[in-house]
Amino acid sequence: NVFKTIRKSHPDIPVIIMSMTDIPRTKAAYENTMKRRDIILNTYNNAVAAGDKNVYFIDGQEIFKLAGYTDCTVDGCHPNDLGFWCMGQAVIKAIEENIEKTKEIIALANSMGCTVEAEVGAIGGEEDGVVGGGEVADPKECKLIASLGVDMLAAGIGNIHGKYPENWAGLQFDVLAAVQEKTGDLPLVLHGGTGIPDDMIKKAISLGVAKINVNTECQLAFAEATRKYIEAGKDLEGKGFDPRKLLAPGFEAIKATVKEKMEIFGSINKA
């Protein structure tokens, strides 16, 4: 409600949403802190999904864990002083470390004949237990990472992993166009392909996207087909419980989904 009030009065002003910066000293305190963090992160994710381009999330607790501080007070009067100092230091350090690690990975991959895909701007949603805030990529940072020699670049343009919320504002094609302009012919990657309308997919392809990740939609198709098989009682008929039979409908459902996507993406006979 506080964020909505601020945004209503100041629709374009940048807003930094920062979770608690102290280190909880008991289990109960930790759980309470994490609940508050989840509320703050959800507020941020909802704002990004609604198309807010000027909202940013900073995980204060993680910053202070890295910095080794247990108190965010500098002079006893302004508790945010040290918090924002640590935030700035952590961001600078993270960018520098990211560049160095990317260079190492590229060198290793090149020595093994492997390709490297880099990501700029955290893709929203959850993937493999990692929650991304959904930050929109900075075209200048994309150019910097591209210049390191990566083979593909995934840029955050409002896309998220998993299901899209009903209030999702759609892909930010102005950002994608700027990224393409800065990176030239480098193949771009679109994560979170599940649920993106076909017209948006085709426009993204026209702006340099050469690889589209679709996972959740395949999983949903598998789950639905498997559920129908069991609800129909087919697992109780003969040896219908055999995993090869029980999982077959889901397997075929994934194949059908992949075929459909290949047709939409225009990737048939292009392997």
Side-chain angles (χ1 to χ4, degrees):
N1 290 335
V2 173
F3 174 77
K4 289 181 179 179
T5 300
I6 294 174
R7 183 51 79 224
K8 184 176 181 180
S9 301
H10 305 281
D12 299 318
I13 190 173
V15 176
I16 297 176
I17 301 179
M18 188 172 183
S19 62
M20 291 183 66
T21 55
D22 63 312
I23 303 297
R25 295 171 175 79
T26 67
K27 181 179 180 181
Y30 174 78
E31 292 177 348
N32 185 49
T33 296
M34 295 312 294
K35 287 181 180 179
R36 292 185 179 184
R37 177 187 177 280
D38 289 343
I39 292 174
I40 293 172
L41 182 57
N42 286 335
T43 299
Y44 167 76
N45 284 334
N46 289 335
V48 172
D52 196 322
K53 299 181 181 179
N54 287 315
V55 59
Y56 307 90
F57 172 72
I58 300 296
D59 193 339
Q61 186 184 9
E62 288 300 318
I63 288 177
F64 274 81
K65 281 183 179 179
L66 293 173
Y69 291 101
T70 58
D71 194 337
C72 60
T73 301
V74 175
D75 57 10
C77 298
H78 301 87
N80 285 328
D81 289 354
L82 182 56
F84 283 102
W85 180 84
C86 281
M87 177 183 71
Q89 294 299 312
V91 169
I92 293 173
K93 183 178 180 181
I95 293 174
E96 293 175 345
E97 290 182 348
N98 189 23
I99 291 175
E100 290 306 313
K101 288 181 179 179
T102 301
K103 289 180 179 179
E104 293 176 7
I105 292 173
I106 291 173
L108 177 62
N110 288 342
S111 69
M112 301 176 67
C114 299
T115 57
V116 177
E117 175 184 323
E119 180 178 315
V120 178
I123 310 301
E126 181 176 349
E127 182 181 41
D128 297 330
V130 178
V131 178
E135 291 87 353
V136 175
D138 182 338
K140 293 181 181 179
E141 289 185 10
C142 290
K143 181 179 180 180
L144 173 62
I145 297 299
S147 67
L148 299 178
V150 298
D151 300 290
M152 294 174 284
L153 181 71
I157 56 172
N159 46 320
I160 65 175
H161 292 122
K163 294 183 178 180
Y164 285 85
E166 293 182 0
N167 63 342
W168 179 55
L171 299 178
Q172 298 184 28
F173 291 111
D174 56 334
V175 176
L176 179 57
V179 170
Q180 183 189 35
E181 181 182 0
K182 293 289 186 181
T183 58
D185 296 329
L186 182 68
L188 302 179
V189 181
L190 180 64
H191 287 200
T194 293
I196 298 179
D198 294 350
D199 60 331
M200 286 190 181
I201 289 289
K202 293 178 180 179
K203 185 170 182 179
I205 293 173
S206 72
L207 291 172
V209 169
K211 174 174 173 279
I212 303 170
N213 293 5
V214 180
N215 183 34
T216 299
E217 195 164 344
C218 291
Q219 294 177 342
L220 291 172
F222 178 89
E224 182 181 7
T226 304
R227 184 181 302 109
K228 287 181 178 179
Y229 180 89
I230 294 175
E231 289 178 345
K234 293 184 178 180
D235 59 316
L236 302 177
E237 298 175 1
K239 286 196 173 183
F241 54 81
D242 186 321
R244 290 168 294 184
K245 294 183 178 180
L246 191 150
L247 300 179
F251 178 71
E252 292 300 323
I254 290 180
K255 285 172 57 177
T257 299
V258 171
K259 181 177 182 297
E260 178 186 359
K261 294 302 177 183
M262 290 178 66
E263 292 172 347
I264 295 173
F265 299 165
S267 56
I268 295 178
N269 295 325
K270 292 186 178 180

